[in-house]
Amino acid sequence: MNEENYIAATKEAMSKAYVPYSNYPVGALIVTDNGNTYSGCNVENASYPLGNCAEASAIASMVIGGEKKIKTIYVMTKNDEGGIPCGGCRQRIREFSDENTQIMMCSPDGVQQRINLSELLPNSFWPEHLK
């Protein structure tokens, strides 16, 4: 797959979001080191803390698929500046990444910003800190 395909798949994931309360759909697509892809969307719940972020849904799909390394993650919202992961998802992404993991913040028009994880979550708490 190429980036155009990744963006289309992220947009498709966003279209599946269940967002009856916020009306703020988010889609995410993970590309692993092996080249496999896993998608997710946000799923809200009337009890707000019980909802799932798109990034967390994609990570769960990746883990179920037997993989644990994110090479690139695309996050899409309808905002012009693109999908920006929340603080909790930044830490979730970090769990399965390294400082070189690419974060692609997308709008429906495509990638709006490309950064690596060390820029998105500087001085992060890594799993290596627990060793």
Side-chain angles (χ1 to χ4, degrees):
M1 289 179 68
N2 62 29
E3 187 160 86
E4 188 175 299
N5 297 122
Y6 295 147
I7 292 167
T10 308
K11 191 174 193 176
E12 175 67 18
M14 184 178 72
S15 76
K16 307 281 180 158
Y18 177 73
V19 291
Y21 307 105
S22 71
N23 294 311
Y24 188 78
V26 182
L29 181 82
I30 290 172
V31 181
T32 66
D33 280 349
N34 295 327
N36 295 318
T37 60
Y38 300 91
S39 61
C41 64
N42 56 327
V43 178
E44 295 179 347
N45 187 291
S47 177
Y48 289 139
L50 297 180
N52 292 329
C53 292
E55 300 92 329
S57 297
I59 289 168
S61 180
M62 177 188 71
V63 171
I64 288 170
E67 297 198 64
K68 295 188 172 87
K69 180 71 166 76
I70 300 170
K71 178 180 178 184
T72 306
I73 184 167
Y74 292 79
V75 181
M76 183 179 289
T77 64
K78 291 183 177 181
N79 296 2
D80 290 339
E81 68 271 9
I84 302 168
C86 71
C89 284
R90 292 174 191 209
Q91 187 64 43
R92 288 180 184 96
I93 293 166
R94 176 60 193 97
E95 184 72 18
F96 299 97
S97 302
D98 61 35
E99 61 275 358
N100 298 314
T101 295
Q102 292 290 295
I103 316 300
M104 306 299 198
M105 298 178 209
C106 305
S107 74
D109 294 327
V111 176
Q112 301 303 315
Q113 186 175 3
R114 302 168 194 269
I115 63 173
N116 63 36
L117 186 63
S118 63
E119 295 171 289
L120 183 67
L121 189 62
N123 302 313
S124 67
F125 183 78
W126 301 8
E128 294 84 2
H129 286 113
L130 297 174
K131 293 180 179 177

